[in-house]
PDB file of all heavy atoms in Angstrom:
ATOM      1  N   ASN A  30     -21.852  39.219  -8.242  1.00  0.00           N
ATOM      2  CA  ASN A  30     -22.671  38.128  -7.649  1.00  0.00           C
ATOM      3  C   ASN A  30     -23.487  37.375  -8.721  1.00  0.00           C
ATOM      4  O   ASN A  30     -23.521  36.177  -8.669  1.00  0.00           O
ATOM      5  CB  ASN A  30     -23.628  38.761  -6.688  1.00  0.00           C
ATOM      6  CG  ASN A  30     -22.963  39.186  -5.321  1.00  0.00           C
ATOM      7  OD1 ASN A  30     -21.776  38.721  -5.018  1.00  0.00           O
ATOM      8  ND2 ASN A  30     -23.569  40.126  -4.639  1.00  0.00           N
ATOM      9  N   THR A  31     -23.946  38.086  -9.669  1.00  0.00           N
ATOM     10  CA  THR A  31     -24.701  37.436 -10.803  1.00  0.00           C
ATOM     11  C   THR A  31     -23.759  36.616 -11.583  1.00  0.00           C
ATOM     12  O   THR A  31     -24.085  35.469 -11.987  1.00  0.00           O
ATOM     13  CB  THR A  31     -25.337  38.565 -11.692  1.00  0.00           C
ATOM     14  OG1 THR A  31     -26.245  39.309 -10.911  1.00  0.00           O
ATOM     15  CG2 THR A  31     -26.067  37.845 -12.751  1.00  0.00           C
ATOM     16  N   ARG A  48     -31.733  18.256  -8.456  1.00  0.00           N
ATOM     17  CA  ARG A  48     -31.798  16.757  -8.328  1.00  0.00           C
ATOM     18  C   ARG A  48     -32.096  16.411  -6.841  1.00  0.00           C
ATOM     19  O   ARG A  48     -32.921  15.535  -6.564  1.00  0.00           O
ATOM     20  CB  ARG A  48     -30.366  16.103  -8.634  1.00  0.00           C
ATOM     21  CG  ARG A  48     -30.374  14.628  -8.581  1.00  0.00           C
ATOM     22  CD  ARG A  48     -31.336  13.931  -9.472  1.00  0.00           C
ATOM     23  NE  ARG A  48     -31.168  12.442  -9.322  1.00  0.00           N
ATOM     24  CZ  ARG A  48     -32.085  11.546  -9.721  1.00  0.00           C
ATOM     25  NH1 ARG A  48     -33.248  11.945 -10.191  1.00  0.00           N
ATOM     26  NH2 ARG A  48     -31.824  10.265  -9.609  1.00  0.00           N
ATOM     27  N   ALA A  67     -45.417   8.483 -12.857  1.00  0.00           N
ATOM     28  CA  ALA A  67     -45.069   7.716 -14.072  1.00  0.00           C
ATOM     29  C   ALA A  67     -43.789   8.302 -14.779  1.00  0.00           C
ATOM     30  O   ALA A  67     -43.156   7.506 -15.525  1.00  0.00           O
ATOM     31  CB  ALA A  67     -46.242   7.705 -15.119  1.00  0.00           C
ATOM     32  N   PRO A  71     -35.614   5.215 -14.346  1.00  0.00           N
ATOM     33  CA  PRO A  71     -35.097   3.991 -13.697  1.00  0.00           C
ATOM     34  C   PRO A  71     -34.143   4.346 -12.558  1.00  0.00           C
ATOM     35  O   PRO A  71     -34.120   3.623 -11.496  1.00  0.00           O
ATOM     36  CB  PRO A  71     -34.282   3.333 -14.815  1.00  0.00           C
ATOM     37  CG  PRO A  71     -35.058   3.651 -16.071  1.00  0.00           C
ATOM     38  CD  PRO A  71     -35.373   5.131 -15.795  1.00  0.00           C
ATOM     39  N   MET A  77     -35.155   5.332  -4.791  1.00  0.00           N
ATOM     40  CA  MET A  77     -36.251   5.141  -3.922  1.00  0.00           C
ATOM     41  C   MET A  77     -36.406   3.798  -3.323  1.00  0.00           C
ATOM     42  O   MET A  77     -36.796   3.619  -2.153  1.00  0.00           O
ATOM     43  CB  MET A  77     -37.566   5.592  -4.624  1.00  0.00           C
ATOM     44  CG  MET A  77     -37.639   7.040  -4.928  1.00  0.00           C
ATOM     45  SD  MET A  77     -37.494   8.109  -3.362  1.00  0.00           S
ATOM     46  CE  MET A  77     -35.796   8.761  -3.589  1.00  0.00           C
ATOM     47  N   ASP A  86     -37.817   0.671   9.108  1.00  0.00           N
ATOM     48  CA  ASP A  86     -37.959   0.614  10.577  1.00  0.00           C
ATOM     49  C   ASP A  86     -38.555   1.960  11.127  1.00  0.00           C
ATOM     50  O   ASP A  86     -38.779   2.026  12.225  1.00  0.00           O
ATOM     51  CB  ASP A  86     -36.779   0.327  11.315  1.00  0.00           C
ATOM     52  CG  ASP A  86     -36.319  -1.153  11.042  1.00  0.00           C
ATOM     53  OD1 ASP A  86     -37.179  -2.077  10.755  1.00  0.00           O
ATOM     54  OD2 ASP A  86     -35.015  -1.414  11.060  1.00  0.00           O
ATOM     55  N   GLU A  93     -41.707  18.002   6.822  1.00  0.00           N
ATOM     56  CA  GLU A  93     -41.544  19.400   6.331  1.00  0.00           C
ATOM     57  C   GLU A  93     -42.282  20.399   7.236  1.00  0.00           C
ATOM     58  O   GLU A  93     -43.203  21.098   6.844  1.00  0.00           O
ATOM     59  CB  GLU A  93     -41.955  19.666   4.901  1.00  0.00           C
ATOM     60  CG  GLU A  93     -41.176  18.844   3.859  1.00  0.00           C
ATOM     61  CD  GLU A  93     -39.827  19.476   3.561  1.00  0.00           C
ATOM     62  OE1 GLU A  93     -39.655  20.715   3.898  1.00  0.00           O
ATOM     63  OE2 GLU A  93     -38.939  18.786   3.071  1.00  0.00           O
ATOM     64  N   GLU A 100     -34.086  31.363  21.330  1.00  0.00           N
ATOM     65  CA  GLU A 100     -32.772  31.528  22.071  1.00  0.00           C
ATOM     66  C   GLU A 100     -31.648  31.856  21.030  1.00  0.00           C
ATOM     67  O   GLU A 100     -30.651  32.576  21.332  1.00  0.00           O
ATOM     68  CB  GLU A 100     -32.509  30.285  22.865  1.00  0.00           C
ATOM     69  CG  GLU A 100     -31.174  30.271  23.580  1.00  0.00           C
ATOM     70  CD  GLU A 100     -30.878  29.031  24.281  1.00  0.00           C
ATOM     71  OE1 GLU A 100     -31.814  28.176  24.397  1.00  0.00           O
ATOM     72  OE2 GLU A 100     -29.774  28.804  24.779  1.00  0.00           O
ATOM     73  N   GLU A 124     -35.813   4.198  21.869  1.00  0.00           N
ATOM     74  CA  GLU A 124     -37.037   4.276  21.099  1.00  0.00           C
ATOM     75  C   GLU A 124     -37.573   5.668  21.366  1.00  0.00           C
ATOM     76  O   GLU A 124     -37.163   6.385  22.373  1.00  0.00           O
ATOM     77  CB  GLU A 124     -38.058   3.240  21.621  1.00  0.00           C
ATOM     78  CG  GLU A 124     -38.574   3.291  23.035  1.00  0.00           C
ATOM     79  CD  GLU A 124     -39.536   2.224  23.354  1.00  0.00           C
ATOM     80  OE1 GLU A 124     -39.142   1.006  23.447  1.00  0.00           O
ATOM     81  OE2 GLU A 124     -40.751   2.578  23.569  1.00  0.00           O
ATOM     82  N   VAL A 136     -21.814  13.679   2.407  1.00  0.00           N
ATOM     83  CA  VAL A 136     -21.693  13.907   3.873  1.00  0.00           C
ATOM     84  C   VAL A 136     -20.314  13.779   4.494  1.00  0.00           C
ATOM     85  O   VAL A 136     -20.076  13.718   5.646  1.00  0.00           O
ATOM     86  CB  VAL A 136     -22.752  12.905   4.623  1.00  0.00           C
ATOM     87  CG1 VAL A 136     -24.108  13.165   4.269  1.00  0.00           C
ATOM     88  CG2 VAL A 136     -22.267  11.494   4.363  1.00  0.00           C
ATOM     89  N   GLY A 153     -36.665  23.341  18.924  1.00  0.00           N
ATOM     90  CA  GLY A 153     -37.520  24.406  18.502  1.00  0.00           C
ATOM     91  C   GLY A 153     -38.870  24.272  18.820  1.00  0.00           C
ATOM     92  O   GLY A 153     -39.378  23.359  19.489  1.00  0.00           O
ATOM     93  N   CYS A 211     -28.466   3.916   0.131  1.00  0.00           N
ATOM     94  CA  CYS A 211     -28.899   4.759   1.095  1.00  0.00           C
ATOM     95  C   CYS A 211     -28.257   4.293   2.417  1.00  0.00           C
ATOM     96  O   CYS A 211     -28.069   3.034   2.701  1.00  0.00           O
ATOM     97  CB  CYS A 211     -30.411   4.637   1.335  1.00  0.00           C
ATOM     98  SG  CYS A 211     -31.153   5.720   2.602  1.00  0.00           S
TER      99      CYS A 211
END
Side-chain angles (χ1 to χ4, degrees):
N30 287 339
T31 300
R48 179 64 175 159
M77 288 303 107
D86 292 329
E93 297 282 341
E100 179 181 349
E124 63 180 75
V136 296
C211 184

